C-alpha cells in the first residue's frame, strides 16, 4: 500500500527562520511554499530525494492561528515532529482498506494537500501516538 515516506512534518513557530536553518544544516533546497487555509498552516517543502515513485521531503509547518492543529500542538508540546506522511498510489483504495480494518480516520475522504496532492490523516490514537498522513501526489509530482 505504501510507496515511500513522502514527508516528515515539523511544527515550527516561524518559516522564515526555519527554512534557512534546514537549508544550511543539510544543504536542502526549499522547492515549494503554500498556504493551506483549511489546515490552518503555511508550509514549506524541502526536497530530500526525488525518487521514482515521487519525492521525499522535510515539510516545515507554521500555524496561521493558535486555534489550528499545528498552533495547538506548538502551544502544548513546542516545536518538533508533528506527523509522518506516507505516499500511496491510490488513496481511495488505501482509505477503504483502513476503514475495513477498523482504523480511526480523521479524513474519511481525501482533502487538498500540498501541490494539489490528495491527502488524509489517520488519528494518532490508532497508530501508537503518531499522527499519520497518506499522500497521493498529483500527476507529475
Ligand atoms: C494532537 N495530538 C497529537 C498530535 N496533535 N498526537 C500526536 N501527534 C500530533 N500531531 C494528541 C494530543 O496530544 C491529545 O492527546 C489529543 O491528540 C487531542 O489533542 P488536541 O490538542 O485536543 O487536539 P484535537 O483533538 O483538537 O486534534 C487532534 C487532531 C488534529 C490530531 C485530531 O490535530 C487533526 O485533525 N490533525 C490533522 C490535520 C492536521 O494536523 N493538519 C495540519 C497539517 P491526549 O492523550 O492528551 O488526549 S496540514 C498538512 O500537513 C498538509 C497541508 C499537507 O501535508 O499537505
Amino acid at each position: 500500500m505504501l510507496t515511500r515516506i513522502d514527508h516528515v512534518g515539523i511544527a515550527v513557530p516561524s518559516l522564515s527562520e526555519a527554512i534557512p536553518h534546514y537549508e544550511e544544516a543539510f544543504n536542502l533546497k526549499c522547492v515549494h511554499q503554500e498556504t493551506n487555509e483549511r489546515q490552518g498552516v503555511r508550509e514549506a517543502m524541502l526536497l530530500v530525494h526525488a525518487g521514482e515513485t515521487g519525492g521525499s521531503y522535510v515539510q516545515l509547518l507554521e500555524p496561521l492561528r493558535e486555534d489550528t492543529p499545528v498552533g495547538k500542538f506548538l502551544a502544548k508540546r513546542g516545536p518538533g515532529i508533528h506527523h509522518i506522511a506516507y505516499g500511496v498510489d491510490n488513496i481511495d483504495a488505501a482509505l477503504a482498506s483502513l476503514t475495513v480494518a477498523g482504523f480511526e480516520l480523521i479524513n474519511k475522504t481525501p482533502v487538498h494537500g500540498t501541490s494539489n496532492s490528495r491527502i488524509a490523516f489517520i488519528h494518532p490514537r490508532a497508530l501508537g501516538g503518531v499522527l499519520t498522513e497518506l499522500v497521493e501526489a498529483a500527476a507529475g509530482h
Side-chain angles (χ1 to χ4, degrees):
M1 182 193 287
L2 306 182
T3 56
R4 68 189 182 283
I5 293 176
D6 184 281
H7 64 262
V8 176
I10 298 176
V12 301
S14 160
L15 276 191
S16 60
E17 286 178 18
I19 292 170
H21 196 59
Y22 267 82
E23 286 183 325
E24 194 182 330
F26 300 114
N27 195 24
L28 296 176
K29 190 163 184 276
C30 179
V31 293
H32 181 71
Q33 287 191 55
E34 182 174 329
T35 297
N36 187 323
E37 289 287 346
R38 175 171 173 166
Q39 298 295 339
V41 289
R42 268 184 42 75
E43 60 190 55
M45 303 298 281
L46 283 71
L47 183 66
V48 175
H49 178 72
E52 282 175 16
T53 57
S56 294
Y57 304 85
V58 172
Q59 180 187 60
L60 302 174
L61 297 162
E62 175 189 313
L64 293 178
R65 296 173 301 280
E66 281 176 15
D67 63 338
T68 58
V70 176
K72 287 164 79 176
F73 181 92
L74 277 175
K76 265 193 188 172
R77 304 190 187 197
I81 295 182
H82 180 260
H83 66 268
I84 185 155
Y86 299 112
V88 292
D89 284 333
N90 182 335
I91 195 166
D92 302 298
L95 291 176
S97 157
L98 288 163
T99 300
V100 168
F103 282 84
E104 184 181 354
L105 304 178
I106 294 172
N107 306 112
K108 293 184 174 56
T109 56
V111 295
H112 172 84
T114 189
S115 298
N116 290 322
S117 57
R118 300 170 74 220
I119 64 170
F121 284 92
I122 304 163
H123 203 284
R125 270 196 297 262
L127 288 167
V130 180
L131 177 61
T132 301
E133 177 187 342
L134 301 181
V135 182
E136 182 188 298
H141 278 272

